[in-house]
Amino acid sequence: MAALASLAAYFFIIPTVQAAQSEWAHSEGGAIRIVADRLQPDGTIPAILDIRLQPGWKTYWLEPGASGIPPQVSIDPKDRVSVLGMRFPPPKSFGEGVDHYTGYDKSVAFPLLLESERKSGDLSLNISVFLGICKDICIPVQADLSLSLPEGTAENPLDRARIDDAVAALPEQPSETFKVKAASFDASGKRLRLSLVTPDASAEKPPELFLAGPRGFSFGKPEIISVANGAFDAEVPVRVPAKDGALKSGSVLLVVRSGKRSMETPLAFD
């Protein structure tokens, strides 16, 4: 990938309010919006960051690579609604070497979990989104989106279906047939070692591994050491920051794609 475009290429959009969907914020290569369900009795608000990509354009995963931009969502503190988390469907790998990055080459939706301090009443959200959309260059896109959730609003089946579909596309949780059997981090050798079980013993291609860790850490291309009957061992080179080069259990997120299935889990180190 070429270097990032100048920060002057940011797109700033302030759309108007439209029910449980924000307006689309358009930029070169795509458009973004927020879709939300009603305020739930526990104060949570199911929602998605909806990204529409034009053919040939891509956007990034949680750990995008050296030149990518991970998506970020924040809400004006005056709205008294917090972003508890954002989740991602399994990504793809693109490019090689320094041009390697991880993301999506088709339109995609990232589930958001929002939480309101108020359990009732009208809500008006002012949401800031920052992400990258790339083709020959990466374009940083910033959009200011507005969303209105009046109290007593009836559930919109189409909006709810969009949110449910985005959640259904997330990686599955570990199971007996799809899990990490062991994980360790060699700080001196800067290597992550994994032993896994996958559900497809007859797969022609080895499973794909995607990792995201704490700020300052990055992960090289995984090396599959051995594969036998759905089990495999892998090593991953780790680039560590100058200070605090230790990885703690639970600090690294692993996504494994095996055939048509994918699994997500934080790593617990031996």
Side-chain angles (χ1 to χ4, degrees), residues 9-30:
Y10 278 5
F11 289 79
F12 290 89
I13 309 102
I14 305 177
T16 57
V17 172
Q18 181 183 0
Q21 305 172 12
S22 73
E23 292 280 359
W24 286 103
H26 295 271
S27 77
E28 185 178 1

Side-chain angles (χ1 to χ4, degrees), residues 127-148:
I127 304 169
S128 178
V129 179
F130 181 58
L131 51 77
I133 296 178
C134 69
K135 191 176 185 181
D136 299 321
I137 61 172
C138 177
I139 299 176
V141 178
Q142 180 168 321
D144 295 321
L145 306 173
S146 297
L147 186 67
S148 179

Side-chain angles (χ1 to χ4, degrees), residues 66-77:
S67 59
I69 302 173
Q72 303 165 50
V73 175
S74 61
I75 299 177
D76 190 327

Side-chain angles (χ1 to χ4, degrees), residues 3 13 59 75 83 111 127 170 178 183 185-186 188 191 198 217 236 246:
I13 309 102
T59 192
I75 299 177
V83 181
I127 304 169
L170 295 174
F178 204 175
F185 174 58
D186 177 2
S188 60
R191 308 283 288 184
T198 59
F217 288 86
V236 184

